[in-house]
Amino acid sequence: MLRGDAYDYWLLDLDGTLVDVEEGYIHDVFDAIGDRLGYGFSQEQAQILWHGLGGFRNDQLARWNIDPDAFWEAFHAVEDGQRRAEHTFLYDDAEHFADHDGPLGLITHSQPSLANPTLDHLDIRDWFDTVVCCSDDIGWKPDPAPVERVLSDLDVEKSDAGVLAGDGATDIGAAWNTGLDGIHVERHGHDRRGMCVRGDYRVSDFDELFGSSARS
């Protein structure tokens, strides 16, 4: 079992790692996307794309003969940050980081219009010393550039031991590409994901990593 102070600093992914959304909201979003694209997404397809099951989303879209650029344009057009936030919940085991002792950074693929309402609605913004939303300018995980941006904000030393925890292979890739340890949080199971993501630690939740008594 890992001690909370095993690393000098922690970096965390947001969606699927600390928070998630109600299934009904996911299906509503994909119904609206489907209306724009003229494509009927099944509930299973919506779950696969939302949670990134089966690998990279753009590859999955291509397998279904859906143009990725058109999909993402429709996705961003129908999503509303405040509405998403109201249907977002915090995983109980994420509370391990509520009183984290040491530098703590958040690095997410969600854009500010989506991430900020969620952080405010769940009242967790003050958990983090810095929040970085990936972009074309900053870079996207597994590119190390957005991780390096977080490290610069945290002003940590290169000799310090750091870790990045997330639910996607891109999170582990970003960690390793930056010389950090990577913790894969698999909340859906390897069978459902259709692949096994490697990591320095692989857990189903943070209780498995720290022990539930640490937040009781």
Side-chain angles (χ1 to χ4, degrees):
M1 191 173 296
L2 193 64
R3 286 168 49 92
D5 60 356
Y7 294 97
D8 297 309
Y9 60 88
W10 283 73
L11 310 183
L12 300 171
D13 174 54
L14 180 62
D15 297 295
T17 302
L18 300 177
V19 307
D20 225 319
V21 299
E22 300 164 359
E23 287 195 14
Y25 175 78
I26 296 174
H27 300 149
D28 287 347
V29 167
F30 274 83
D31 285 346
I33 294 172
D35 288 343
R36 286 175 174 261
L37 298 180
Y39 186 95
F41 289 96
S42 69
Q43 292 190 0
E44 180 63 16
Q45 286 177 308
Q47 292 285 329
I48 287 171
L49 287 173
W50 187 275
H51 297 297
L53 307 178
F56 292 107
R57 292 176 176 87
N58 283 357
D59 293 342
Q60 184 65 70
L61 289 165
R63 286 192 287 270
W64 293 337
N65 296 316
I66 301 171
D67 178 64
D69 290 338
F71 171 84
W72 291 113
E73 181 180 352
F75 181 88
H76 293 303
V78 304
E79 268 243 272
D80 174 80
Q82 189 56 46
R83 183 165 177 264
R84 185 206 273 208
E86 291 168 357
H87 292 274
T88 298
F89 61 89
L90 182 72
Y91 282 110
D92 290 342
D93 55 278
E95 291 284 353
H96 285 288
F97 297 100
D99 300 308
H100 179 73
D101 185 18
L104 183 65
L106 183 72
I107 177 171
T108 175
H109 277 188
S110 284
Q111 297 306 284
S113 62
L114 298 175
N116 287 331
T118 293
L119 296 175
D120 292 336
H121 181 72
L122 296 175
D123 195 23
I124 62 173
R125 183 183 296 277
D126 63 354
W127 288 11
F128 307 102
D129 300 299
T130 186
V131 174
V132 168
C133 296
C134 295
S135 67
D136 289 341
D137 290 335
I138 295 173
W140 302 88
K141 297 175 287 186
D143 188 328
V147 182
E148 291 167 351
R149 172 73 67 92
V150 175
L151 299 184
S152 177
D153 290 347
L154 293 178
D155 195 25
V156 295
E157 300 292 334
K158 289 186 177 180
S159 58
D160 291 343
V163 64
L164 192 161
D167 69 308
T170 55
D171 298 305
I172 305 305
W176 288 350
N177 286 339
T178 321
L180 308 180
D181 283 357
I183 297 174
H184 183 239
V185 185
E186 180 53 87
R187 296 194 180 274
H188 299 279
H190 305 303
D191 289 342
R192 190 178 183 208
R193 186 170 295 279
M195 60 189 296
C196 184
V197 178
R198 296 178 60 196
D200 296 287
Y201 293 90
R202 292 186 295 174
V203 297
S204 60
D205 57 40
F206 289 110
D207 283 349
E208 185 179 338
L209 196 65
F210 297 116
S212 57
S213 61
R215 61 181 176 89
S216 60

PDB file of all heavy atoms in Angstrom, residues 30-54:
ATOM      1  N   PHE A  30     -24.889  12.475 -26.661  1.00  0.00           N
ATOM      2  CA  PHE A  30     -24.665  11.733 -27.897  1.00  0.00           C
ATOM      3  C   PHE A  30     -25.900  11.711 -28.787  1.00  0.00           C
ATOM      4  O   PHE A  30     -25.774  11.621 -30.017  1.00  0.00           O
ATOM      5  CB  PHE A  30     -24.145  10.328 -27.596  1.00  0.00           C
ATOM      6  CG  PHE A  30     -22.651  10.300 -27.433  1.00  0.00           C
ATOM      7  CD1 PHE A  30     -22.060  10.625 -26.224  1.00  0.00           C
ATOM      8  CD2 PHE A  30     -21.834   9.992 -28.504  1.00  0.00           C
ATOM      9  CE1 PHE A  30     -20.690  10.635 -26.075  1.00  0.00           C
ATOM     10  CE2 PHE A  30     -20.454   9.992 -28.377  1.00  0.00           C
ATOM     11  CZ  PHE A  30     -19.875  10.319 -27.156  1.00  0.00           C
ATOM     12  N   ASP A  31     -27.065  11.808 -28.199  1.00  0.00           N
ATOM     13  CA  ASP A  31     -28.265  11.962 -29.031  1.00  0.00           C
ATOM     14  C   ASP A  31     -28.194  13.271 -29.816  1.00  0.00           C
ATOM     15  O   ASP A  31     -28.524  13.320 -31.007  1.00  0.00           O
ATOM     16  CB  ASP A  31     -29.522  11.944 -28.159  1.00  0.00           C
ATOM     17  CG  ASP A  31     -29.881  10.549 -27.673  1.00  0.00           C
ATOM     18  OD1 ASP A  31     -29.328   9.567 -28.206  1.00  0.00           O
ATOM     19  OD2 ASP A  31     -30.705  10.442 -26.740  1.00  0.00           O
ATOM     20  N   ALA A  32     -27.749  14.340 -29.131  1.00  0.00           N
ATOM     21  CA  ALA A  32     -27.647  15.645 -29.786  1.00  0.00           C
ATOM     22  C   ALA A  32     -26.545  15.654 -30.849  1.00  0.00           C
ATOM     23  O   ALA A  32     -26.711  16.234 -31.929  1.00  0.00           O
ATOM     24  CB  ALA A  32     -27.379  16.733 -28.742  1.00  0.00           C
ATOM     25  N   ILE A  33     -25.422  14.991 -30.560  1.00  0.00           N
ATOM     26  CA  ILE A  33     -24.352  14.892 -31.551  1.00  0.00           C
ATOM     27  C   ILE A  33     -24.838  14.106 -32.764  1.00  0.00           C
ATOM     28  O   ILE A  33     -24.599  14.483 -33.922  1.00  0.00           O
ATOM     29  CB  ILE A  33     -23.108  14.218 -30.941  1.00  0.00           C
ATOM     30  CG1 ILE A  33     -22.497  15.098 -29.849  1.00  0.00           C
ATOM     31  CG2 ILE A  33     -22.064  13.936 -32.038  1.00  0.00           C
ATOM     32  CD1 ILE A  33     -21.391  14.416 -29.073  1.00  0.00           C
ATOM     33  N   GLY A  34     -25.537  12.998 -32.488  1.00  0.00           N
ATOM     34  CA  GLY A  34     -26.045  12.170 -33.572  1.00  0.00           C
ATOM     35  C   GLY A  34     -27.007  12.920 -34.473  1.00  0.00           C
ATOM     36  O   GLY A  34     -27.001  12.731 -35.694  1.00  0.00           O
ATOM     37  N   ASP A  35     -27.832  13.800 -33.878  1.00  0.00           N
ATOM     38  CA  ASP A  35     -28.756  14.607 -34.682  1.00  0.00           C
ATOM     39  C   ASP A  35     -27.989  15.501 -35.645  1.00  0.00           C
ATOM     40  O   ASP A  35     -28.411  15.712 -36.798  1.00  0.00           O
ATOM     41  CB  ASP A  35     -29.641  15.459 -33.768  1.00  0.00           C
ATOM     42  CG  ASP A  35     -30.675  14.633 -33.014  1.00  0.00           C
ATOM     43  OD1 ASP A  35     -30.924  13.485 -33.417  1.00  0.00           O
ATOM     44  OD2 ASP A  35     -31.224  15.135 -32.017  1.00  0.00           O
ATOM     45  N   ARG A  36     -26.865  16.043 -35.193  1.00  0.00           N
ATOM     46  CA  ARG A  36     -26.071  16.936 -36.045  1.00  0.00           C
ATOM     47  C   ARG A  36     -25.344  16.165 -37.148  1.00  0.00           C
ATOM     48  O   ARG A  36     -25.150  16.688 -38.249  1.00  0.00           O
ATOM     49  CB  ARG A  36     -25.050  17.701 -35.188  1.00  0.00           C
ATOM     50  CG  ARG A  36     -25.681  18.805 -34.333  1.00  0.00           C
ATOM     51  CD  ARG A  36     -24.652  19.442 -33.411  1.00  0.00           C
ATOM     52  NE  ARG A  36     -25.229  20.590 -32.714  1.00  0.00           N
ATOM     53  CZ  ARG A  36     -25.063  21.845 -33.063  1.00  0.00           C
ATOM     54  NH1 ARG A  36     -24.334  22.152 -34.131  1.00  0.00           N
ATOM     55  NH2 ARG A  36     -25.624  22.825 -32.368  1.00  0.00           N
ATOM     56  N   LEU A  37     -24.931  14.942 -36.827  1.00  0.00           N
ATOM     57  CA  LEU A  37     -24.143  14.168 -37.776  1.00  0.00           C
ATOM     58  C   LEU A  37     -24.990  13.232 -38.634  1.00  0.00           C
ATOM     59  O   LEU A  37     -24.475  12.649 -39.598  1.00  0.00           O
ATOM     60  CB  LEU A  37     -23.093  13.332 -37.032  1.00  0.00           C
ATOM     61  CG  LEU A  37     -22.037  14.087 -36.223  1.00  0.00           C
ATOM     62  CD1 LEU A  37     -21.079  13.104 -35.563  1.00  0.00           C
ATOM     63  CD2 LEU A  37     -21.275  15.066 -37.100  1.00  0.00           C
ATOM     64  N   GLY A  38     -26.251  13.074 -38.265  1.00  0.00           N
ATOM     65  CA  GLY A  38     -27.081  12.104 -38.965  1.00  0.00           C
ATOM     66  C   GLY A  38     -26.656  10.683 -38.668  1.00  0.00           C
ATOM     67  O   GLY A  38     -26.693   9.809 -39.554  1.00  0.00           O
ATOM     68  N   TYR A  39     -26.263  10.441 -37.420  1.00  0.00           N
ATOM     69  CA  TYR A  39     -25.760   9.123 -37.018  1.00  0.00           C
ATOM     70  C   TYR A  39     -26.427   8.749 -35.700  1.00  0.00           C
ATOM     71  O   TYR A  39     -26.494   9.559 -34.775  1.00  0.00           O
ATOM     72  CB  TYR A  39     -24.238   9.179 -36.844  1.00  0.00           C
ATOM     73  CG  TYR A  39     -23.595   7.838 -36.561  1.00  0.00           C
ATOM     74  CD1 TYR A  39     -23.070   7.074 -37.599  1.00  0.00           C
ATOM     75  CD2 TYR A  39     -23.512   7.345 -35.255  1.00  0.00           C
ATOM     76  CE1 TYR A  39     -22.463   5.846 -37.345  1.00  0.00           C
ATOM     77  CE2 TYR A  39     -22.914   6.127 -35.003  1.00  0.00           C
ATOM     78  CZ  TYR A  39     -22.394   5.375 -36.040  1.00  0.00           C
ATOM     79  OH  TYR A  39     -21.806   4.161 -35.784  1.00  0.00           O
ATOM     80  N   GLY A  40     -26.904   7.511 -35.614  1.00  0.00           N
ATOM     81  CA  GLY A  40     -27.548   7.058 -34.388  1.00  0.00           C
ATOM     82  C   GLY A  40     -26.580   6.308 -33.493  1.00  0.00           C
ATOM     83  O   GLY A  40     -26.273   5.131 -33.741  1.00  0.00           O
ATOM     84  N   PHE A  41     -26.059   6.988 -32.466  1.00  0.00           N
ATOM     85  CA  PHE A  41     -25.144   6.343 -31.521  1.00  0.00           C
ATOM     86  C   PHE A  41     -25.928   5.431 -30.578  1.00  0.00           C
ATOM     87  O   PHE A  41     -26.925   5.853 -29.980  1.00  0.00           O
ATOM     88  CB  PHE A  41     -24.391   7.384 -30.690  1.00  0.00           C
ATOM     89  CG  PHE A  41     -23.363   8.161 -31.456  1.00  0.00           C
ATOM     90  CD1 PHE A  41     -23.670   9.404 -31.979  1.00  0.00           C
ATOM     91  CD2 PHE A  41     -22.088   7.644 -31.657  1.00  0.00           C
ATOM     92  CE1 PHE A  41     -22.725  10.130 -32.687  1.00  0.00           C
ATOM     93  CE2 PHE A  41     -21.135   8.363 -32.361  1.00  0.00           C
ATOM     94  CZ  PHE A  41     -21.459   9.610 -32.881  1.00  0.00           C
ATOM     95  N   SER A  42     -25.464   4.194 -30.430  1.00  0.00           N
ATOM     96  CA  SER A  42     -26.052   3.316 -29.418  1.00  0.00           C
ATOM     97  C   SER A  42     -25.545   3.735 -28.047  1.00  0.00           C
ATOM     98  O   SER A  42     -24.563   4.481 -27.928  1.00  0.00           O
ATOM     99  CB  SER A  42     -25.666   1.863 -29.690  1.00  0.00           C
ATOM    100  OG  SER A  42     -24.277   1.658 -29.449  1.00  0.00           O
ATOM    101  N   GLN A  43     -26.200   3.254 -26.995  1.00  0.00           N
ATOM    102  CA  GLN A  43     -25.745   3.568 -25.644  1.00  0.00           C
ATOM    103  C   GLN A  43     -24.331   3.033 -25.413  1.00  0.00           C
ATOM    104  O   GLN A  43     -23.510   3.683 -24.759  1.00  0.00           O
ATOM    105  CB  GLN A  43     -26.712   2.997 -24.607  1.00  0.00           C
ATOM    106  CG  GLN A  43     -28.070   3.680 -24.601  1.00  0.00           C
ATOM    107  CD  GLN A  43     -28.928   3.268 -23.423  1.00  0.00           C
ATOM    108  OE1 GLN A  43     -28.537   2.465 -22.585  1.00  0.00           O
ATOM    109  NE2 GLN A  43     -30.125   3.833 -23.345  1.00  0.00           N
ATOM    110  N   GLU A  44     -24.035   1.862 -25.974  1.00  0.00           N
ATOM    111  CA  GLU A  44     -22.703   1.285 -25.818  1.00  0.00           C
ATOM    112  C   GLU A  44     -21.659   2.129 -26.539  1.00  0.00           C
ATOM    113  O   GLU A  44     -20.565   2.384 -26.009  1.00  0.00           O
ATOM    114  CB  GLU A  44     -22.672  -0.143 -26.364  1.00  0.00           C
ATOM    115  CG  GLU A  44     -21.322  -0.836 -26.236  1.00  0.00           C
ATOM    116  CD  GLU A  44     -20.870  -1.037 -24.795  1.00  0.00           C
ATOM    117  OE1 GLU A  44     -21.704  -0.934 -23.873  1.00  0.00           O
ATOM    118  OE2 GLU A  44     -19.663  -1.304 -24.598  1.00  0.00           O
ATOM    119  N   GLN A  45     -21.973   2.608 -27.747  1.00  0.00           N
ATOM    120  CA  GLN A  45     -21.032   3.469 -28.469  1.00  0.00           C
ATOM    121  C   GLN A  45     -20.774   4.759 -27.692  1.00  0.00           C
ATOM    122  O   GLN A  45     -19.635   5.243 -27.634  1.00  0.00           O
ATOM    123  CB  GLN A  45     -21.572   3.790 -29.855  1.00  0.00           C
ATOM    124  CG  GLN A  45     -21.495   2.647 -30.849  1.00  0.00           C
ATOM    125  CD  GLN A  45     -22.121   3.016 -32.182  1.00  0.00           C
ATOM    126  OE1 GLN A  45     -23.265   3.489 -32.230  1.00  0.00           O
ATOM    127  NE2 GLN A  45     -21.380   2.824 -33.265  1.00  0.00           N
ATOM    128  N   ALA A  46     -21.831   5.315 -27.115  1.00  0.00           N
ATOM    129  CA  ALA A  46     -21.672   6.541 -26.326  1.00  0.00           C
ATOM    130  C   ALA A  46     -20.743   6.307 -25.143  1.00  0.00           C
ATOM    131  O   ALA A  46     -19.864   7.133 -24.850  1.00  0.00           O
ATOM    132  CB  ALA A  46     -23.038   7.032 -25.852  1.00  0.00           C
ATOM    133  N   GLN A  47     -20.914   5.186 -24.461  1.00  0.00           N
ATOM    134  CA  GLN A  47     -20.065   4.863 -23.317  1.00  0.00           C
ATOM    135  C   GLN A  47     -18.613   4.655 -23.753  1.00  0.00           C
ATOM    136  O   GLN A  47     -17.676   5.120 -23.085  1.00  0.00           O
ATOM    137  CB  GLN A  47     -20.590   3.597 -22.626  1.00  0.00           C
ATOM    138  CG  GLN A  47     -21.928   3.754 -21.940  1.00  0.00           C
ATOM    139  CD  GLN A  47     -21.817   4.520 -20.636  1.00  0.00           C
ATOM    140  OE1 GLN A  47     -20.811   4.462 -19.963  1.00  0.00           O
ATOM    141  NE2 GLN A  47     -22.872   5.250 -20.290  1.00  0.00           N
ATOM    142  N   ILE A  48     -18.425   3.956 -24.869  1.00  0.00           N
ATOM    143  CA  ILE A  48     -17.077   3.691 -25.369  1.00  0.00           C
ATOM    144  C   ILE A  48     -16.348   5.002 -25.654  1.00  0.00           C
ATOM    145  O   ILE A  48     -15.188   5.197 -25.249  1.00  0.00           O
ATOM    146  CB  ILE A  48     -17.142   2.814 -26.636  1.00  0.00           C
ATOM    147  CG1 ILE A  48     -17.527   1.375 -26.261  1.00  0.00           C
ATOM    148  CG2 ILE A  48     -15.798   2.838 -27.382  1.00  0.00           C
ATOM    149  CD1 ILE A  48     -17.829   0.505 -27.461  1.00  0.00           C
ATOM    150  N   LEU A  49     -17.011   5.921 -26.348  1.00  0.00           N
ATOM    151  CA  LEU A  49     -16.360   7.176 -26.707  1.00  0.00           C
ATOM    152  C   LEU A  49     -16.174   8.093 -25.508  1.00  0.00           C
ATOM    153  O   LEU A  49     -15.131   8.736 -25.364  1.00  0.00           O
ATOM    154  CB  LEU A  49     -17.166   7.887 -27.795  1.00  0.00           C
ATOM    155  CG  LEU A  49     -17.086   7.248 -29.185  1.00  0.00           C
ATOM    156  CD1 LEU A  49     -18.062   7.929 -30.137  1.00  0.00           C
ATOM    157  CD2 LEU A  49     -15.666   7.326 -29.746  1.00  0.00           C
ATOM    158  N   TRP A  50     -17.184   8.177 -24.655  1.00  0.00           N
ATOM    159  CA  TRP A  50     -17.075   9.084 -23.507  1.00  0.00           C
ATOM    160  C   TRP A  50     -15.918   8.683 -22.598  1.00  0.00           C
ATOM    161  O   TRP A  50     -15.134   9.528 -22.160  1.00  0.00           O
ATOM    162  CB  TRP A  50     -18.382   9.108 -22.718  1.00  0.00           C
ATOM    163  CG  TRP A  50     -18.350  10.155 -21.645  1.00  0.00           C
ATOM    164  CD1 TRP A  50     -17.837  10.036 -20.379  1.00  0.00           C
ATOM    165  CD2 TRP A  50     -18.804  11.501 -21.752  1.00  0.00           C
ATOM    166  NE1 TRP A  50     -17.944  11.214 -19.690  1.00  0.00           N
ATOM    167  CE2 TRP A  50     -18.541  12.135 -20.518  1.00  0.00           C
ATOM    168  CE3 TRP A  50     -19.429  12.227 -22.784  1.00  0.00           C
ATOM    169  CZ2 TRP A  50     -18.879  13.460 -20.279  1.00  0.00           C
ATOM    170  CZ3 TRP A  50     -19.752  13.554 -22.539  1.00  0.00           C
ATOM    171  CH2 TRP A  50     -19.481  14.152 -21.293  1.00  0.00           C
ATOM    172  N   HIS A  51     -15.804   7.388 -22.318  1.00  0.00           N
ATOM    173  CA  HIS A  51     -14.803   6.910 -21.364  1.00  0.00           C
ATOM    174  C   HIS A  51     -13.492   6.504 -22.032  1.00  0.00           C
ATOM    175  O   HIS A  51     -12.548   6.104 -21.346  1.00  0.00           O
ATOM    176  CB  HIS A  51     -15.353   5.729 -20.566  1.00  0.00           C
ATOM    177  CG  HIS A  51     -16.541   6.073 -19.728  1.00  0.00           C
ATOM    178  ND1 HIS A  51     -16.487   6.980 -18.683  1.00  0.00           N
ATOM    179  CD2 HIS A  51     -17.832   5.644 -19.782  1.00  0.00           C
ATOM    180  CE1 HIS A  51     -17.686   7.085 -18.129  1.00  0.00           C
ATOM    181  NE2 HIS A  51     -18.515   6.295 -18.771  1.00  0.00           N
ATOM    182  N   GLY A  52     -13.416   6.622 -23.356  1.00  0.00           N
ATOM    183  CA  GLY A  52     -12.176   6.268 -24.039  1.00  0.00           C
ATOM    184  C   GLY A  52     -11.866   4.794 -23.982  1.00  0.00           C
ATOM    185  O   GLY A  52     -10.689   4.391 -23.941  1.00  0.00           O
ATOM    186  N   LEU A  53     -12.902   3.959 -23.999  1.00  0.00           N
ATOM    187  CA  LEU A  53     -12.694   2.517 -23.953  1.00  0.00           C
ATOM    188  C   LEU A  53     -12.233   2.022 -25.316  1.00  0.00           C
ATOM    189  O   LEU A  53     -12.667   2.518 -26.349  1.00  0.00           O
ATOM    190  CB  LEU A  53     -13.986   1.813 -23.544  1.00  0.00           C
ATOM    191  CG  LEU A  53     -14.657   2.314 -22.251  1.00  0.00           C
ATOM    192  CD1 LEU A  53     -15.959   1.562 -21.994  1.00  0.00           C
ATOM    193  CD2 LEU A  53     -13.712   2.176 -21.064  1.00  0.00           C
ATOM    194  N   GLY A  54     -11.358   1.050 -25.337  1.00  0.00           N
ATOM    195  CA  GLY A  54     -10.922   0.459 -26.595  1.00  0.00           C
ATOM    196  C   GLY A  54      -9.796   1.191 -27.283  1.00  0.00           C
ATOM    197  O   GLY A  54      -9.422   0.838 -28.402  1.00  0.00           O
TER     198      GLY A  54
END
